[in-house]
């Protein structure tokens, strides 16, 4: 941009001069305003009210009494001459007048805002970037040698530091208050420290002028200087200095980066920032430093597994510094509240643990990375053991341990993540994967460490939250590690050794539960007891899974959900209810991955196959769990488990039907009349059961389940039984005369629909119940029609013409059906049955006049109309003599005879 560096320096000096000139003008304007305000109150002395002090008087009052203070300006009244008058007034009993309010500060206009704030910010940033870009420009243009460039950078940094200190001293002497958010001395000093950082780093990493020891000392001196300067200049310097220090390696870069030099530099910057944050108790500075340090882990991971050493040093050094200076109540950290988890203390350790986790995953579990990760996990447990504030890091460490081992297991078993389009890219064993022996040893150490520490932590801490964190980590970590090792080593197959380990783990958790139950109650103890009891159930479920086939994992998780629900009744802790729901959700996701539970091994035996165990046992477990959870109230976990219970019950029935009808092929893409009919019958039967159950429980899940099953049965009836699988519309062998598919597909669903309509009568809207009753009537008419068709046409009722005798039989059957419905309605006083009878007879009349009159001939036509007439007359007589007589009002009693007659 500038061909001549002297032009650039001249421009920088001009900007600085402009800033100082603008500052002087602001000071003069402020003094003029104060003088005008004092001259505008000439009656202050007469009223014996002292005027507000000028800045100079305020400074004079701060001097010792014996010092020779200069004479105040003549416009200010003599304060000592006013004091006796005030004393005499107070002695006479008069109240002293209140002090005058301070002069209102004028609002800052746009010009003042730009001149006092924006210019300062932009100026500081420009100075810092100017130093950085001057180095880059000189390198690209080849103007000066490396030594001269480094020397000029150092001189520029020194000039900025001297300018910052000079302006700070001038402002202190002038007693003009600096703007907190636009502090010129702080910004100049911050720019100087950033340039100093860049200069020393470039001299070492780019030009090789400095050996590592010298660079380390110089960077340390700059960092300590920044720390000392921030103590004087405030947070503006700290913020800009830290940001500039972390951004410096990006602006001053090299084609051949030295990661050791970079991470040593970052360690010094981190130490300085943490030290400043500790001295001034600036939480924001600690958080900013941690965030920048973690971000510097990501770009360097692209260099591959060969650079594990410097990356590991980066996270290890940052972890140690955070433990020493940031964690409250530990070593040099701030004081901590007993029994309180402090977010920054826990988050700082968790951040560096995350960095170590990324290094392990990126290096394919190299031994060095695993060792450093183990050291950081152990350090987290040690620091959290000594400081309550870092207890949150225990949970983060447990989760990250599982992430590391789960990724190791999945990488060796790519079939666990196979999708329809093939395995995920990059998934698969690698020659550089960490050794099995190292992971086995690490897993044993982690499990023992978390388990023992979590148990021994009970009763050590005062608050209720920290013991729960320790116990949760003690239960989760060994179980999760056991699952990961089982997946990696046994490949999810049957393994007796892993089953034995799971039993041992269950016994250990049971013993911990028993020991803790005998202790005196303390905050968090009941929750910890419940967690250890849950861990015992989980380990037993895993033992069952490891000892048996793959499908037992689904059963084990479902049994664990029911067991957790039972524990929640003994230890009323909300977390346990949520855990039962989470386990139910995992089982649901499991069947979504493979609905057959065990794949091709499900077998072909109807009913008694793996579907019965894989769906039946979880369904029973979820029903039992919902009953237990209902004792604690109706909430989201209960509804989740109830939903899982209904889902597994429905899927059990539907999958068994599909399995039996299709000879074990549950993935068949078409369904026949038998399958649809069975599914409709099962859906209606379950809807009836849920309708009865919701009356007792009042559960919204039972209510929604009944409605959904009814809707499914209705849709399957319309689109399946009456359209797609209708034997009148397509060739279907319906079987024998009475015992056939028609009985299963239409008669039985009609009866179930009628029962469902009575189950919802009076408890749901009338239209809802009548709709179901209408569906029952339609199915019954369809059954009557299809059975008559079967009598005349054989098993394939869609083939052949309709004869006159067949048409006459339809009319007689409809009339008989209508009469039967009428008799039922009269006998049981059911208006719904009488209305159904009217509908059927109306359809019969319509058929007689529209079909029989044109298609029937001879005796069949006559008999049809004769029978219809007789039935209609009989119906009229029944209504007049029986139905209406019952509804007629009794005659009024005769008046009693008078006593005189």
């Amino acid at each position: 941009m500038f061909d001549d560096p002297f032009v650039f320096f001249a421009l920088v000096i001009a900007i600085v001069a402009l800033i100082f000139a603008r500052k002087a003008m602001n000071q003069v304007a402020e003094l003029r305003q104060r003088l005008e305000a004092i001259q505008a109150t000439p009656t202050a002395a007469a009223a014996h009210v002292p005027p507000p002090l000028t800045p100079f008087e305020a400074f004079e009052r701060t001097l010792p009494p014996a010092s020779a203070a200069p004479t105040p300006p003549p416009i200010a009244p003599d304060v000592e001459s006013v004091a006796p008058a005030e004393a005499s007034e107070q002695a006479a009993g008069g109240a002293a007048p209140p002090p005058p309010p301070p002069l209102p500060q004028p609002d800052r206009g746009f010009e003042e805002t730009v001149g006092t704030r924006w210019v300062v910010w932009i100026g500081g940033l420009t100075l810092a970037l100017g130093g950085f870009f001057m180095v880059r420009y000189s390198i690209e243009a080849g103007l000066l040698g490396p030594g001269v460039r480094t020397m000029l950078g150092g001189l520029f940094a020194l000039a900025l530091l001297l300018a910052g200190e000079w302006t700070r001293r001038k402002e202190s002497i002038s007693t003009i208050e600096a703007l907190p958010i636009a502090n010129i001395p702080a910004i100049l000093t911050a720019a100087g420290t950033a340039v100093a950082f860049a200069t020393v780093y470039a001299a070492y990493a780019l030009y090789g002028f400095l050996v590592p020891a010298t660079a380390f000392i110089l960077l340390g001196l700059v960092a300590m200087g920044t720390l000392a300067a921030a103590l004087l200049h405030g947070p503006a310097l700290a913020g800009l200095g830290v940001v500039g220090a972390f951004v410096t390696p990006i602006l001053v870069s090299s084609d051949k980066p030295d990661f050791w030099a970079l991470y040593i530099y970052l360690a010094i910057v981190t130490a300085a920032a943490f030290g400043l944050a500790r001295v001034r108790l600036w939480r924001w500075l600690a958080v900013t430093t941690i965030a920048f340090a973690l971000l510097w882990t990501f770009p360097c991971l692209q260099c591959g597994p060969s650079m594990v050493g410097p990356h590991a040093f980066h996270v290890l050094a940052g972890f140690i510094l955070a433990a020493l200076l940031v964690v409250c109540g530990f070593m040099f950290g701030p004081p901590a509240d007993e029994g309180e988890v402090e977010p920054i203390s826990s988050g700082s350790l968790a951040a560096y643990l995350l960095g170590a986790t990324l290094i392990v995953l990126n290096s394919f579990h190299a031994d060095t990375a695993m060792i450093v990760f183990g050291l950081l996990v152990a350090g987290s447990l040690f620091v959290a053991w000594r400081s309550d504030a870092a207890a949150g890091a225990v949970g983060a460490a447990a989760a990250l341990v599982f992430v590391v081992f789960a990724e190791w297991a999945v990488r060796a078993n790519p079939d666990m993540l196979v999708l329809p389009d093939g395995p995920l890219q990059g998934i698969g064993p690698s020659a550089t994967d960490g050794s099995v022996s190292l992971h086995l040893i690490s897993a044993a150490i982690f499990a023992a460490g978390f388990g023992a520490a979590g148990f021994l932590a009970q009763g050590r801490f005062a608050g209720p939250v920290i013991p729960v964190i320790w116990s949760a980590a003690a239960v989760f970590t060994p179980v999760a590690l056991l699952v990961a090792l089982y997946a990696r080593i046994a490949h999810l197959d049957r393994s007796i050794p892993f089953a034995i380990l799971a039993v041992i783990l269950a016994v250990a958790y049971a013993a911990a539960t028993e020991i803790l139950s005998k202790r005196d109650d303390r905050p968090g103890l009941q929750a910890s007891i419940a967690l250890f009891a849950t861990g015992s159930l989980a380990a037993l479920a895993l033992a069952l899974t490891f000892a048996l086939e793959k499908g037992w994992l689904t059963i084990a998780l479902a049994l664990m959900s029911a067991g957790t629900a039972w524990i929640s009744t003994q230890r009323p802790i909300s977390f346990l209810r949520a855990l039962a729901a989470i386990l139910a959700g995992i089982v649901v996701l499991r069947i979504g991955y493979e609905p057959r539970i065990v794949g091709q091994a499900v077998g072909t035996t109807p009913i008694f196959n793996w579907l019965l165990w894989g769906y039946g046992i979880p369904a029973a477990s979820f029903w039992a769990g919902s009953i237990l959870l209902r004792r604690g109230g109706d909430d989201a976990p209960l509804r989740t488990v109830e939903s899982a219970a209904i889902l597994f019950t429905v899927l059990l029935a539907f999958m068994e039907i599909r399995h039996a009808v299709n000879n074990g092929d549950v993935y068949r893409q078409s369904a026949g009349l038998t399958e649809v009919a069975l599914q409709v019958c099962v859906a209606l039967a379950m809807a009836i059961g849920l309708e009865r159950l919701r009356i007792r429980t009042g559960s919204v899940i039972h209510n929604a389940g009944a409605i959904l099953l009814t809707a499914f049965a209705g849709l399957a009836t319309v689109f399946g039984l009456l359209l797609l699988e209708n034997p009148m519309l397509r060739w279907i062998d319906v079987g024998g005369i009475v015992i056939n598919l028609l009985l299963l597909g239409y008669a039985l669903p009609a009866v179930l629909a009628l029962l469902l309509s009575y189950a919802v009568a009076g408890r749901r809207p009338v239209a809802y119940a009548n709709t179901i009753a209408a569906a029952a009537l339609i199915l019954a008419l369809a059954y009557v029609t299809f059975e008559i068709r079967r009598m005349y046409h054989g098993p394939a009722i869609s083939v052949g013409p309709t004869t006159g005798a067949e048409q006459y039989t339809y009319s007689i059957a409809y009339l008989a059906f209508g009469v039967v419905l009428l008799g039922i309605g009269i006998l049981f006083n059911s208006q719904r049955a009488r209305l159904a009878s009217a509908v059927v007879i109306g359809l019969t009349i319509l058929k007689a006049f529209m079909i029989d009159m044109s298609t029937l001939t001879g005796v069949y036509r006559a008999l049809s109309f004769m029978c219809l007439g007789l039935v209609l007359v009989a119906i009229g007589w029944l209504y007049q003599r029986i139905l209406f007589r019952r509804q007629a009002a009794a005659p009024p009693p005769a008046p009693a005879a008078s006593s005189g007659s």
Side-chain angles (χ1 to χ4, degrees), residues 255-520:
D255 295 335
K256 298 180 179 180
D258 187 344
F259 287 105
W260 279 109
L262 170 65
Y263 285 136
I264 291 174
Y265 164 78
L266 292 178
I268 297 174
V269 172
T270 302
F274 280 166
L276 177 58
R278 169 62 187 94
V279 173
R280 299 299 295 267
L281 296 179
W282 287 338
R283 297 163 59 92
W284 64 268
L285 182 58
V287 174
T288 303
T289 305
I290 294 168
F292 274 109
L294 181 61
L295 288 175
W296 264 112
T297 306
F298 290 94
C300 301
L301 292 177
Q302 306 300 323
C303 299
S306 61
M307 296 300 296
V308 173
H311 303 335
F313 167 78
H314 172 58
V315 295
L316 186 60
F319 183 90
I320 295 174
L321 292 172
L324 294 177
L325 299 173
V326 176
V327 176
C328 299
F330 183 80
M331 296 298 289
F332 306 108
D337 296 330
E338 186 178 2
E340 297 284 337
V341 179
E342 204 275 319
I344 296 180
S345 300
S346 301
S348 61
L349 302 183
Y352 288 105
L353 276 171
L354 176 60
T357 303
L358 296 175
I359 294 173
V360 171
L361 301 182
N362 186 75
S363 64
F364 302 103
H365 298 253
D367 292 352
T368 304
M370 283 294 298
I371 293 173
V372 172
F373 176 74
L375 291 176
L376 263 61
V377 171
S380 299
L381 296 181
F382 175 74
V383 175
W385 186 266
R386 304 288 300 177
S387 173
D388 296 357
V394 176
L400 293 175
V401 165
F402 172 69
V403 168
V404 168
F405 280 84
E407 193 272 346
W408 179 65
V410 171
R411 184 177 294 276
N413 296 275
D415 56 316
M416 296 172 62
L417 292 181
V418 171
L419 300 179
D421 295 333
L424 294 176
Q425 184 178 2
I427 295 296
S430 174
T432 59
D433 281 355
S435 62
V436 175
S437 58
L438 177 63
H439 282 74
L440 285 175
I441 296 173
S442 301
I445 295 174
F446 286 145
F450 277 96
F455 174 75
L456 296 176
Q458 306 307 312
R460 174 182 172 85
F461 301 98
V465 177
I466 297 178
V468 175
I469 295 176
W470 280 98
S471 59
V475 172
F476 170 79
T477 308
V479 171
L481 289 175
L482 188 61
V483 172
L485 293 176
Y486 167 72
R488 171 65 188 255
I489 298 174
H491 302 284
L492 299 180
D493 289 331
R494 186 169 175 266
S495 175
I496 298 301
F498 276 101
I500 295 174
L501 290 176
V503 171
I504 295 174
L505 192 60
V507 172
Y509 286 144
T513 304
E514 183 65 19
I515 294 173
L516 294 177
S517 300
K518 296 179 180 179
R519 294 184 179 180
D520 296 334

Side-chain angles (χ1 to χ4, degrees), residues 1-8 134 137 141 143:
M1 180 176 178
F2 299 104
D3 295 332
D4 191 351
F6 297 101
V7 175
F8 174 78
M134 176 57 67
Y137 171 74
L143 299 178

